[in-house]
């Protein structure tokens, strides 16, 4: 990512500053950072003018890039009837075909789609580590490097969440099972082998490493404790899939004597650098543990709807102290605004009441995820922050009619806009080329 050293000015018709939609905002950008913000001003000579409403660009906290290949190919009319578990078999078929070069090509298109939709950073929850027969590549980080290179191609930052995966699952008697043939390429010999690869990654400036444990199904409590200690030692974030399905909770209780959140808490995983992905089927105790520890949740509501997972208790989590962030996970759609609507509409449908989250709270979820990915200096239009912006048009068929009312403009962005209404994206001070905003995905299948 090239950065001009000369300061430049961007004038926004409307912009989200803190928790307010402000009119006439002048932003100075220098060395990829916001250096000065002025409100209530007109456009200066030479300033880049952005009509519509500009927001801090979004963080996509949970992604498996290769799942994008299943879009259009796993629905009713094809082979789509089924459950999360039948979908998982289709997903394993795609995973079996990936190699570093094809994964780079596929992921570059997926990350370009994200950037065009307004995401400036992605958390790639990466577990396709080895060859399909389970033997390591000569360069142990070959697949991780393919993903990091793809993010560079697309112009987005990436947190490569190198994921520990040890077991096939937990059986009905509560015992860990051996990996299946198709899980072999995900599996490390143990937490120490995983930690060695994690410590060996050397990435360019747009990328950083994070840690992940796949789930309590795939990682036993002793290995989770090692992973948590390694993440703390390296000062990197730690993510885990948590309670996406009721069956996962049943097996956790049978094998571990508690819920996945309880098992993760006992292993020392929770805290302000921890993100629970999904957090769909939680007990009151789980919610208290996540909130009390200052953990993040990565809500993936379009995926959770697509897979029939359920509706997560996002309002209760937020009230308990959890920071709610978003992820597009399986990439059934890649649209940060669709995630916000799905969070709010899921809660409204379940509660039969309106306004569960305020529109400003929803817009905050777009960018709060940068901290969950370890980019603590991103996610706000504020002096000193990384210069990430997404501008949403207010004159399209979907967004027109908000007028000069800041509340209506916030609602237009949070509850009516789509990725197609995004007109400009700036990442670390660099404007995304407009050609990339219309990039079609040439996905290998
Ligand atoms: Zn996932």
């Amino acid at each position: 990512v090239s950065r001009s050293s000369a300061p430049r000015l961007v004038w926004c018709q409307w912009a989200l500053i803190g928790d307010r939609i402000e009119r006439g905002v002048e932003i100075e950008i220098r060395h990829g950072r916001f250096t000065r913000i002025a409100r209530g001003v007109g456009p200066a000579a030479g300033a880049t003018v952005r009509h519509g409403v500009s927001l801090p660009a979004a963080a996509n906290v949970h992604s498996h890039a290769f799942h994008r290949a299943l879009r259009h190919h796993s629905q009713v009319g094809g082979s789509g009837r089924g459950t999360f578990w039948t979908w998982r078999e289709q997903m394993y078929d795609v995973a079996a075909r990936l190699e570093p070069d094809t994964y780079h090509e596929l992921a570059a298109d997926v990350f370009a789609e994200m950037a065009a939709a307004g995401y400036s950073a992605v958390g790639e929850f990466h577990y396709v580590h080895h060859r399909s027969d389970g033997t390591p590549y000569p360069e142990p980080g070959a697949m991780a490097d393919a993903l990091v290179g793809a993010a560079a191609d697309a112009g987005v930052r990436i947190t490569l969440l190198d994921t520990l995966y040890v077991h096939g699952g937990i059986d009905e008697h509560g015992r860990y099972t051996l990996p299946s043939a198709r899980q072999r390429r995900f599996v490390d010999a143990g937490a120490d082998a995983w930690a060695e690869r994690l410590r060996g990654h050397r990435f360019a400036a747009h990328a950083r490493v994070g840690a992940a444990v796949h789930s309590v199904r795939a990682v036993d409590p002793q290995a989770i404790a090692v992973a948590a200690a390694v993440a703390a030692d390296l000062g990197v974030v730690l993510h885990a899939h948590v309670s996406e399905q009721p069956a996962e909770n049943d097996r956790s209780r049978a094998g571990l004597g508690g819920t996945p959140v309880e098992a993760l808490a006992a292993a020392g995983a929770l805290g302000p650098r921890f993100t629970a992905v999904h957090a769909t089927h939680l007990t009151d105790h789980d919610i208290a543990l996540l909130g009390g520890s200052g953990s993040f949740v990565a809500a993936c509501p379009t995926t959770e709807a697509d897979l029939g997972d359920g509706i997560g208790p996002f309002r209760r989590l937020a009230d308990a102290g959890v920071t709610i962030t978003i992820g597009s996970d399986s990439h059934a759609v890649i649209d940060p605004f669709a995630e916000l609507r799905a969070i709010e509409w899921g809660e409204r449908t379940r509660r039969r009441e309106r306004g569960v989250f305020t529109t400003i709270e929803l817009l905050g979820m777009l960018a709060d995820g940068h901290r969950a990915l370890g980019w603590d200096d991103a996610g706000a239009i504020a002096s000193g922050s990384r210069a990430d912006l997404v501008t949403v048009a207010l004159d399209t068929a979907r967004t027109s009619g908000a007028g000069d009312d800041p509340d209506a403009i916030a609602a237009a962005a949070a509850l009516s806009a789509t990725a197609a209404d995004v007109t400009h994206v700036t990442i670390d001070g660099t404007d995304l080329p407009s050609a990339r905003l219309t990039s079609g995905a040439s996905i290998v299948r």
Side-chain angles (χ1 to χ4, degrees):
V1 177
S2 63
R3 286 169 197 151
S4 163
S5 57
R8 70 176 178 121
L9 293 177
V10 177
W11 182 84
C12 303
Q13 185 186 14
W14 300 93
L16 179 64
I17 310 294
D19 60 0
R20 291 171 57 92
I21 299 284
E22 303 273 5
R23 184 206 298 258
V25 175
E26 184 180 80
I27 299 170
E28 185 188 73
I29 299 174
R30 197 187 288 246
H31 300 300
R33 304 248 171 194
F34 299 127
T35 45
R36 189 173 53 76
I37 314 288
R39 312 164 199 208
V41 299
T48 302
V49 172
R50 293 216 178 159
H51 291 288
V53 59
S54 295
L55 312 167
N60 195 343
V61 175
H62 190 66
S63 162
H64 308 281
F66 75 91
H67 292 188
R68 171 66 177 84
L70 290 166
R71 189 192 295 176
H72 320 312
H73 299 279
S74 68
Q75 302 294 349
V76 176
S79 52
R81 279 193 175 273
T83 65
F84 169 87
W85 304 101
T86 57
W87 171 87
R88 190 175 72 155
E89 293 304 312
Q90 297 174 300
M91 181 267 284
Y92 284 173
D93 286 341
V94 174
R97 295 200 292 273
L98 298 171
E99 293 296 340
D101 58 342
T102 55
Y103 204 7
H104 185 137
E105 184 183 351
L106 187 161
D109 281 343
V110 178
F111 296 153
E113 184 182 354
M114 287 181 196
Y119 288 114
S120 59
V122 57
E124 179 65 24
F125 198 104
H126 169 58
Y127 54 82
V128 189
H129 301 303
H130 309 300
R131 291 193 175 103
S132 54
D133 65 358
T135 60
Y137 286 102
E139 196 56 54
M143 290 294 248
D145 290 342
L147 291 159
V148 168
D153 291 352
V156 300
R157 292 192 303 274
I158 184 170
T159 299
L160 194 288
L161 298 159
D162 193 313
T163 302
L164 174 59
Y165 202 122
V166 183
H167 305 290
I170 301 177
D171 69 16
E172 62 272 29
H173 307 296
R175 288 184 297 246
Y176 280 104
T177 61
L178 291 173
S180 69
R182 290 193 298 176
Q183 289 171 320
R184 275 200 295 252
R185 71 184 314 188
F186 312 155
V187 170
D188 288 312
D192 292 339
W194 162 84
E196 190 179 329
R197 185 181 56 246
L198 186 83
R199 291 178 186 278
H201 291 307
R202 296 289 178 270
F203 297 148
H206 74 292
R208 55 184 52 174
V209 71
V213 292
H214 181 275
S215 58
V216 301
R217 284 183 280 124
V219 186
D220 56 85
Q222 294 77 17
I224 294 172
V226 172
V230 168
D233 179 46
L234 294 175
V236 302
V237 298
L238 177 66
H239 290 215
H241 289 126
V242 173
S243 296
E244 182 175 7
Q245 286 283 324
E248 177 185 338
N249 290 353
D250 296 344
R251 296 294 169 89
S252 177
R253 286 198 176 87
L256 308 175
T259 65
V261 170
E262 289 166 347
L264 288 157
L270 305 191
R273 303 304 272 173
F274 178 74
T275 296
V277 179
H278 300 299
T280 309
H281 301 283
L282 300 183
T283 65
D284 291 348
H285 188 223
D286 293 339
I287 291 170
L289 285 170
L290 289 168
S293 63
S295 297
F296 291 80
V297 159
C300 306
T302 63
T303 290
E304 289 146 13
D306 184 68
L307 297 179
D309 290 336
I311 299 168
F314 302 122
R315 180 73 258 179
R316 294 179 60 211
L317 283 162
D319 289 342
V322 168
T323 301
I324 306 294
T325 69
I326 58 167
S328 63
D329 186 11
S330 70
H331 313 310
V333 299
I334 293 177
D335 182 338
F337 306 98
E339 304 297 342
L340 302 186
R341 268 200 299 285
I343 288 171
E344 177 64 17
W345 286 354
E347 285 279 27
R348 288 188 188 190
T349 302
R350 175 170 54 197
R351 292 165 174 252
R352 288 176 283 170
E353 62 185 44
R354 305 187 73 230
V356 178
F357 287 100
T358 69
T359 53
I360 295 293
E361 282 178 313
L362 290 167
L363 294 175
M365 294 175 193
L366 293 175
D368 280 346
H370 291 286
R371 284 183 291 129
L373 296 178
W375 303 96
D376 293 358
D377 54 354
I381 302 176
S383 185
S385 282
R386 287 173 177 271
D388 289 0
L389 279 179
V390 55
T391 303
V392 178
L394 292 170
D395 60 354
T396 72
R398 288 165 294 277
T399 58
S400 65
D404 287 342
D405 176 357
D407 289 342
I409 290 167
L415 293 168
S416 301
T418 71
D421 301 312
V422 169
T423 58
H424 295 86
V425 179
T426 301
I427 303 176
D428 285 329
T430 298
D431 293 346
L432 206 67
S434 57
R436 290 208 195 135
L437 290 170
T438 55
S439 166
S442 58
I443 302 301
V444 292
R445 274 186 58 81

